[in-house]
Amino acid sequence: MTEVSERVSFRRRSERLRRPLPIAFARRDLDPDPEVNLARMEAAARSCDAFGADLNFDAVQWVIAEAKATASREAYSLWFTEAQVDGEAYNEAKKRAWLAPAFSKFAKSVIRLLEHKKHHAPPTYDRMLRAIRCLYRQVSERGTPSPVELRTSDFEAAEWTEGYSDNTLYSMSIDLYTLAHVCKTYRLTWDPIEYEPSVPAPTIVASANGHDESLPSPAALSALARIDSRATSLPDVAMLCAVKLTQFTTLRGIDVLQLGVQCERFLVGGRETSAAEYDAADPARRDYGLFHYDQKIKRYDVKPVISQAVPIVRDAIATARILSAPSRVVARHYESGVGAWLPAPLRDHELLSLEDLAEPLWKTPQQTLDWVKRYKVPVLEEAVARADLEGGLARTPPGWSRTRDRHAAATDFMRNHPASHYTCSELSVALPVDDLRRWLRKMEVPVRPRSIARSDLERVLLSLQCTGAGLPQPLSATLLIFPDNFFGSRWQTFMPIARPLTIDQLRVWMRGSKFAHSVFYRYQCREADGKPIVVLPHDFRRWMITLVGSGSISLPQLKEWTRHASVGAVQGYVRETEAEIAKKVMDAFRATGMSQMPEHWG
């Protein structure tokens, strides 16, 4: 790649971030003093509502994404602190020193105004903050930790910060270019910033076996086919449905996971029809697509599916509908506003014992008790009904003096404590009895076991249920929705809570984590050289685009099909110079029985 083309690549890839910020003054009104311009930018950032109108602008921590139904179940935060030092963990940002006030305000203003201009994923701003920290380190070494003292040399030094990989340095240089553009456009520094990135773009490096590691290897594709034929557990079958939809549609992972249950579109001769009419029509006249909400362009669209992949996609959707049907019933119950969903045996009881809850919801009483403690559900102690105690005293003759004393003490206690139930701990203190439960058993007085009120249980369940915010359709109309912990390994599946499948769960299923092995490990699948198989969900989008691009579809047609912003973006996916790799991927594709490439798209 020539130097000129590298510059063009940098400009194109950073174009989405370096557009003019929506600040409260025009460029013609810029003040010669950068301090004034910086103050105006800060005022504009404070007045906008990006990340929420109640955001504490002066806080060292910004919560920019609330907790979601992810593997970690944690909110996404930005920490406006200095860069990590040697030996310090990356996730210990909250323990580091804060950025100087002036630099912190600069960082917060840029990030909030960028979000106000256009929404970006939270990691985008985490990477931007990483570049800001590197700049801060440069000016701090001169003893002037203020953005107005930034120079072109600071940007040039920051892009070669030690301790980062080549890919990270390349990504950071794009963010530095964005910051330099903002500083230059709005005169935020005393020195004019003329920064041009010099970090070379990372090249596609093939592994020892000649495979492009940004694409799923033939071993990974073959392994998925074997796993599909062997999988029997419902979580694995459900995940395979999501993988097939990601693999054979070129939809982005987030768009696949948010598909509606009625996402299929059948067309014959350009007219939308039913599935039965589609199946009976001439294959040359029919088309199949998926109706989805494109999160990138923020509108609904229909994604065409290659005809050879239609049977796989239809089968995956049909299977997902069956597996998600119970959870959609649960979600529909919550949406009706009639309270929390409970299994049928528990719906007509005001008090529920831990044993009652164990069988329909969890597997053991101990797991039930752990869940109750974790979510602070009030547990009612063992208790005796007043009527049962009075009946037992009436049935049992006073007898000798100790028995008479116990009867008298019980009668006095009930006279002074008018209640319908008494806990065993209360009776143990009030009555002269060494073994209360033995005494009650002799009088045939039933003891109510430890229990929880159904109203308390429903209150907790309502607070835990996912609202479906951010989905393009109601939660009950979402295709890939399953019980809580359906894909987990440490706790039992919890039916009363329904959640949509997340990209984090799909990623953990494919790559594993410290809490769970990957699906390839569990099914004993490895690369040809014995190394573990490593695949990410987005790799399938690259694979499918590479596959189609190696056929007779032109790049403009492929751009239209994949809904990329430009032909250049498509070229970033298609490994046109990797002819041998593309051939291997094509061979793996032929192994699935889908060897015909479409000649054109209408």
Side-chain angles (χ1 to χ4, degrees):
M1 184 181 292
T2 65
E3 182 178 354
V4 174
S5 61
E6 286 182 0
R7 304 297 185 202
V8 173
S9 175
F10 274 110
R11 291 192 180 96
R12 286 178 177 173
R13 293 189 64 175
S14 61
E15 182 180 357
R16 63 185 179 87
L17 282 179
R18 62 182 182 84
R19 295 170 181 170
L21 301 179
I23 60 179
F25 59 94
R27 294 183 60 182
R28 63 177 178 275
D29 299 327
L30 293 175
D31 195 277
D33 188 348
E35 297 277 7
V36 175
N37 295 330
L38 193 61
R40 290 179 177 177
M41 178 177 285
E42 178 190 349
R46 287 179 179 274
S47 62
C48 75
D49 59 356
F51 305 126
D54 57 346
L55 178 70
N56 184 359
F57 189 85
D58 297 313
V60 68
Q61 176 193 15
W62 278 8
V63 179
I64 63 173
E66 297 296 333
K68 302 180 295 182
T70 63
S72 63
R73 305 275 174 86
E74 295 179 356
Y76 201 102
S77 300
L78 295 179
W79 290 89
F80 294 92
T81 54
E82 296 182 10
Q84 65 188 98
V85 297
D86 293 339
E88 184 181 35
Y90 177 77
N91 59 358
E92 294 296 324
K94 58 185 176 183
K95 297 182 180 179
R96 302 174 199 148
W98 296 10
L99 294 174
F103 224 94
S104 178
K105 293 175 182 177
F106 165 70
K108 294 174 179 178
S109 299
V110 171
I111 290 175
R112 196 175 195 190
L113 290 173
L114 284 173
E115 176 67 13
H116 183 69
K117 179 70 175 179
K118 182 181 179 182
H119 170 67
H120 297 91
T124 300
Y125 299 116
D126 216 359
R127 294 190 293 267
M128 177 71 69
L129 195 52
R130 179 176 59 194
I132 291 173
R133 290 190 181 111
C134 292
L135 285 176
Y136 179 77
R137 178 180 293 177
Q138 300 302 321
V139 296
S140 297
E141 291 176 354
R142 298 201 306 269
T144 57
S146 173
V148 299
E149 301 296 337
L150 284 171
R151 305 169 184 169
T152 302
S153 59
D154 295 328
F155 287 87
E156 294 172 346
E159 73 174 359
W160 294 105
T161 303
E162 295 182 357
Y164 293 116
S165 65
D166 293 341
N167 288 352
T168 301
L169 291 176
Y170 178 74
S171 174
M172 189 162 63
S173 65
I174 295 176
D175 293 327
L176 290 170
Y177 189 52
T178 299
L179 295 170
H181 182 80
V182 170
C183 292
K184 180 179 180 180
T185 303
Y186 298 107
R187 295 181 191 170
L188 301 182
T189 59
W190 289 109
D191 291 345
I193 304 299
E194 301 294 341
Y195 167 70
E196 289 286 342
S198 59
V199 178
T203 57
I204 300 173
V205 179
S207 61
N209 59 9
H211 171 65
D212 178 4
E213 294 184 346
S214 67
L215 297 173
S217 67
L221 298 172
S222 300
L224 284 172
R226 293 198 304 273
I227 293 171
D228 186 35
S229 63
R230 294 164 52 192
T232 56
S233 69
L234 295 183
D236 285 342
V237 174
M239 279 293 188
L240 284 166
C241 292
V243 169
K244 291 174 185 177
L245 293 175
T246 306
Q247 183 176 357
F248 295 108
T249 63
T250 72
L251 283 173
R252 298 177 183 88
I254 186 63
D255 296 335
V256 166
L257 300 181
Q258 294 185 357
L259 285 173
V261 69
Q262 303 297 335
C263 60
E264 295 178 289
R265 292 293 182 268
F266 303 96
L267 292 91
V268 175
R271 177 178 57 86
E272 187 170 342
T273 63
S274 64
E277 186 176 348
Y278 171 89
D279 293 333
D282 181 0
R285 299 181 57 249
R286 64 189 188 185
D287 296 292
Y288 177 88
L290 296 181
F291 181 74
H292 73 289
Y293 184 77
D294 194 316
Q295 291 289 345
K296 192 167 186 178
I297 61 177
K298 301 300 180 185
R299 65 179 176 84
Y300 288 95
D301 199 1
V302 176
K303 170 74 71 176
V305 177
I306 293 179
S307 59
Q308 290 75 20
V310 169
I312 296 178
V313 173
R314 292 185 65 181
D315 178 72
I317 292 175
T319 305
R321 283 195 184 116
I322 295 173
L323 295 178
S324 63
S327 291
R328 282 187 275 113
V329 172
V330 173
R332 195 176 302 114
H333 179 89
Y334 283 97
E335 291 168 358
S336 65
V338 295
W341 183 91
L342 289 173
L346 307 182
R347 294 172 187 170
D348 298 327
H349 300 278
E350 293 300 323
L351 294 178
L352 308 171
S353 69
L354 297 180
E355 288 74 17
D356 292 336
L357 287 173
E359 184 175 355
L361 302 186
W362 297 271
K363 294 298 184 181
T364 66
Q366 184 58 47
Q367 290 173 334
T368 305
L369 182 60
D370 291 342
W371 184 88
V372 166
K373 289 180 179 179
R374 185 163 67 249
Y375 292 104
K376 300 179 180 179
V377 181
V379 179
L380 303 178
E381 297 183 41
E382 293 179 315
V384 173
R386 180 190 183 98
D388 293 336
L389 182 57
E390 290 175 343
L393 294 174
R395 287 192 302 271
T396 307
W400 55 302
S401 60
R402 180 174 292 184
T403 305
R404 287 196 300 270
D405 292 342
R406 291 171 178 172
H407 278 58
T411 303
D412 290 341
F413 177 78
M414 288 188 291
R415 184 185 306 114
N416 298 325
H417 298 82
S420 60
H421 286 77
Y422 302 111
T423 64
C424 289
S425 58
E426 290 177 325
L427 294 176
S428 297
V429 173
L431 304 181
V433 182
D434 294 332
D435 190 340
L436 177 67
R437 288 166 181 77
R438 185 166 177 254
W439 179 68
L440 293 172
R441 189 165 56 251
K442 283 184 176 181
M443 294 195 302
E444 299 179 356
V445 176
V447 178
R448 186 194 69 198
R450 283 191 304 174
S451 58
I452 62 176
R454 182 164 58 89
S455 58
D456 291 333
L457 176 62
E458 289 185 336
R459 173 179 50 80
V460 173
L461 293 178
L462 286 170
S463 67
L464 293 176
Q465 174 58 31
C466 175
T467 62
L471 293 174
Q473 66 276 324
L475 189 63
S476 60
T478 301
L479 176 64
L480 298 171
I481 176 175
F482 303 98
D484 191 28
N485 205 47
F486 186 65
F487 304 102
S489 58
R490 291 183 291 170
W491 295 288
Q492 296 293 334
T493 296
F494 189 38
M495 188 65 196
I497 301 298
R499 299 186 185 279
L501 178 62
T502 67
I503 197 70
D504 285 344
Q505 291 173 321
L506 184 58
R507 188 180 294 114
V508 168
W509 185 81
M510 297 182 68
R511 298 200 65 170
S513 70
K514 63 180 180 180
F515 300 114
H517 294 300
S518 72
V519 66
F520 301 107
Y521 179 91
R522 290 190 286 111
Y523 284 85
Q524 301 177 351
C525 298
R526 288 183 171 271
E527 294 284 358
D529 57 3
K531 293 183 178 180
I533 294 176
V534 179
V535 183
L536 283 174
H538 197 67
D539 294 345
F540 291 120
R541 180 170 165 86
R542 295 191 185 96
W543 172 74
M544 192 63 165
I545 296 174
T546 297
L547 189 66
V548 177
S550 63
S552 57
I553 297 179
S554 66
L555 284 178
Q557 289 171 328
L558 189 56
K559 164 188 168 295
E560 181 66 24
W561 181 49
T562 58
R563 297 296 188 266
H564 274 106
S566 65
V567 171
V570 178
Q571 288 176 317
Y573 281 80
V574 179
R575 308 307 199 236
E576 291 181 314
T577 60
E578 308 287 338
E580 184 178 351
I581 296 170
K583 181 180 182 300
K584 291 182 178 180
V585 177
M586 180 71 78
D587 293 340
F589 190 65
R590 289 194 180 97
T592 66
M594 293 171 289
S595 59
Q596 299 299 319
M597 288 293 97
E599 295 183 357
H600 67 278
W601 288 99

